[in-house]
Amino acid sequence: MNKAELVAKMAEKSGMTKKDTEVALNSFMASVEEALVAGEKVQLVGFGTFETRERAAREGRNPRDPEKKIKIPASKAPVFKAGKGLKEKVNATKAAKSSKKK
């Protein structure tokens, strides 16, 4: 599902116009982005948590010339950890589909 499809689905479920829904989605994404840049976590109970994790500096290899070692600098990586409710719904869907196939 891409952004346009997500906006259409959200508009359908909320009864809002697609334009208003897109504004709401963009505002949500901007708010999460600002929080992560500030080093904060965004927790949506039952859905999941957006946060950043530190990646240590490390040594890697150039894929074109495996003999050459390159230094990869430390960085922060944004991560999403699914919450219990989301995991249960995803797994319940898989269980329902696999039981129908039998």
Side-chain angles (χ1 to χ4, degrees):
M1 177 181 289
N2 63 30
K3 186 177 176 183
E5 293 167 339
L6 178 59
V7 167
K9 188 74 148 179
M10 289 173 58
E12 180 185 314
K13 288 188 177 272
S14 68
M16 295 169 55
T17 66
K18 284 185 182 180
K19 190 168 187 138
D20 289 343
T21 304
E22 186 171 12
V23 168
L25 180 59
N26 288 338
S27 298
F28 169 76
M29 292 189 311
S31 298
V32 170
E33 190 176 291
E34 289 169 8
L36 294 178
V37 167
E40 299 171 8
K41 276 187 187 181
V42 178
Q43 293 179 305
L44 304 171
V45 177
F47 184 73
T49 303
F50 296 91
E51 61 185 324
T52 56
R53 293 210 180 120
E54 296 287 333
R55 297 190 67 183
R58 61 194 191 283
E59 204 170 76
R61 298 211 180 262
N62 182 341
R64 291 186 182 178
D65 184 5
E67 298 300 315
K68 270 191 178 175
K69 291 182 180 180
I70 56 174
K71 291 185 180 187
I72 302 168
S75 64
K76 289 182 185 179
V79 251
F80 175 77
K81 182 179 177 197
K84 183 180 176 186
L86 179 59
K87 286 180 189 176
E88 288 173 353
K89 285 185 180 181
V90 169
N91 288 318
T93 303
K94 285 182 182 178
K97 285 183 182 177
S98 64
S99 66
K100 286 182 182 177
K101 288 181 181 178
K102 291 181 180 178

